[in-house]
Amino acid sequence: MDLQQTDVLVIGAGSVGSMALWQLSKRDGVDVVGIEQYGRVHAHGSYAGESRVFRTAVHEGGTYVPMIRRSRELWRELERESGRAIYSEVGALSIAPEGFPDFETALGTVRDFDLEHRLLDTAELRAEFPQHRVHDGDVGLLDAHGGGLRPEVAVMSALDLAEANGARLFFNTAVIDVEERANGVVVRTTQGSWLARTVIVASGSWSTRLSPDLHRLLRLQVLGLTWFMPRRPELFAPDRFPVFLRDAGAVHFFGAPSFDGYAFKACTNPEWPVFRDVSEVPRAHTREELIRIGQRAAELFVDVNPEPVRESVHHCAYTPDRLPVVDTSASGRVVTVTGLSGHGFKFSPRLGEWASALATGATPDEAGVDPRFALPAHLERLAVTGAYTGGGH
Ligand SMILES: Cc1cc2nc3c(=O)[nH]c(=O)nc-3n(C[C@H](O)[C@H](O)[C@H](O)COP(=O)(O)OP(=O)(O)OC[C@H]3O[C@@H](n4cnc5c(N)ncnc54)[C@H](O)[C@@H]3O)c2cc1C
């Protein structure tokens, strides 16, 4: 077998892979290769769909706030280096009935970490955000450093920069298998084989295909996106309408302002089962689902046409407790980052930075990776809880 050689090979040029490639390409003397099964930025990965919520007021603040802070610096760095607008800090507005558990947790995080925020009562919400149909007893939390990320632009920018720095990227090339050997890692692809010193596996929802062992931990959750036309789109422009999370009874909605000038994103997910492989995931909402989502959108937003003008269905790999997997194999040669669990786009630059450090010799401890992200730690927790939670953002 004829083997091409490289120092670090990244499998998957999506959210984490593109950020790892960007970081690796800045290291002197490291030869870097990226392999992606689809083209450069595509509609099939977990990052597709125009926008992603970025917020600092998250659950489990102690785990995530430092990752999010570092990611915010890296998002700005990516903007500076690429000259592209990637992160709009329009704020992130949570609206829920007073005392709602997720709202209280987010509030606890902003207080514990002294994050800039505002609390709004029902009257203030109605006066300042007339786009929302605010219910009696609803309260708001405006996370000042929250906002909307542009995922396709982010991935494109990181890949372009990596390539400009010398990384070699191969698209429409699928990795078939990965084999650790004494002298390196052999990666077989649909376009030939490679021998790499180290490999980063950043293959998202497809991770179980390359590492069937991950079936023990990962499940695919389905997440749908819908966009609606308001009668007054100017009210939904980014300078007036923050990204939002809304809880009303059992209904959870999330979304983003209008980046295209005619429709804004407002999504809620039907009760989909979890899946084991991407091939099983539905490709679109049913008509009944769209009618139900539209009715709920019309109940929560003022003057909105209930028929979605755009819709798409995606998937994401989840761990039971939604902590990501950042794992290094026993030989130190294969680094796996997956299980971003419906909320990981916001901190993908930090994960890419960790992957880059681990693949170039740092130990998890030296890189500052939370030990709970290692695969054995995940499996130990799974043995105790055995439960999966859904959700996103
Ligand atoms: C609809 C939706 C909404 C979300 N909303 C938010 C949000 O608001 N905020 C937030 O922070 N997060 C959000 N998330 C989560 C976040 O977008 C994902 O967790 C993140 O994009 C996953 O990144 P990844 O790198 O693991 O996977 P991906 O970005 O999918 O990248 C994996 C890449 O690997 C490639 N690949 C796979 N197998 C192979 C192979 N064998 N050979 C070559 N290439 C391969 C794939 O083609 C893909 O390009 C959301 C997710 C979804 C689906």
Side-chain angles (χ1 to χ4, degrees), residues 15-16 36-37 42 46-47 52-53 175 340 343 345-346:
S15 318
V16 173
E36 166 57 48
Q37 63 182 348
H42 56 82
S46 298
Y47 63 83
R52 288 289 179 271
V53 173
V175 169
L340 273 64
H343 62 178
F345 192 82
K346 62 178 77 56

Side-chain angles (χ1 to χ4, degrees), residues 133-302:
R133 223 182 266 289
V134 175
H135 300 152
D136 290 345
D138 276 351
V139 286
L141 170 64
L142 185 61
D143 173 1
H145 292 300
L149 290 160
R150 312 297 308 273
E152 289 88 351
V153 183
V155 171
M156 175 70 88
S157 302
L159 294 180
D160 286 355
L161 286 166
E163 207 164 40
N165 292 341
R168 288 177 287 162
L169 307 182
F170 297 85
F171 296 101
N172 298 307
T173 304
V175 169
I176 300 163
D177 57 37
V178 176
E179 184 194 335
E180 286 191 57
R181 290 191 187 162
N183 62 339
V185 187
V186 173
V187 176
R188 233 161 34 93
T189 82
T190 48
Q191 316 278 344
S193 298
W194 290 84
L195 176 68
R197 274 180 215 274
T198 53
V199 164
I200 296 174
V201 183
S203 49
S205 299
W206 292 263
S207 303
T208 47
R209 289 195 184 171
L210 292 176
S211 318
D213 199 36
L214 286 170
H215 274 304
R216 290 196 287 163
L217 183 70
L218 300 179
R219 294 291 177 272
L220 299 187
Q221 300 241 7
V222 187
L223 292 112
L225 301 176
T226 38
W227 285 258
F228 292 91
M229 275 177 78
R231 293 223 151 60
R232 295 185 56 200
E234 68 280 9
L235 289 179
F236 291 80
D239 58 338
R240 300 176 74 169
F241 188 69
V243 302
F244 65 86
L245 292 93
R246 274 200 76 168
D247 286 286
V251 179
H252 174 76
F253 253 83
F254 67 96
S258 176
F259 288 111
D260 59 19
Y262 77 96
F264 75 108
K265 193 192 233 182
C267 326
T268 188
N269 282 297
E271 290 282 306
W272 278 308
V274 294
F275 295 99
R276 283 171 68 84
D277 189 81
V278 174
S279 59
E280 302 162 2
V281 173
R283 287 168 189 266
H285 296 90
T286 63
R287 179 100 294 265
E288 292 67 32
E289 286 164 354
L290 290 177
I291 291 172
R292 213 166 30 248
I293 295 168
Q295 282 166 347
R296 287 174 176 165
E299 283 161 20
L300 292 178
F301 302 94
V302 172

Side-chain angles (χ1 to χ4, degrees), residues 7-63:
D7 294 327
V8 187
L9 186 146
V10 179
I11 302 174
S15 318
V16 173
S18 65
M19 299 301 147
L21 285 161
W22 171 45
Q23 293 297 329
L24 285 163
S25 73
K26 298 192 208 198
R27 290 181 181 245
D28 286 337
V30 180
D31 188 63
V32 184
V33 162
I35 309 270
E36 166 57 48
Q37 63 182 348
Y38 293 111
R40 181 192 302 257
V41 181
H42 56 82
H44 313 284
S46 298
Y47 63 83
E50 188 187 70
S51 58
R52 288 289 179 271
V53 173
F54 181 92
R55 60 196 190 112
T56 53
V58 286
H59 309 164
E60 292 222 45
T63 306

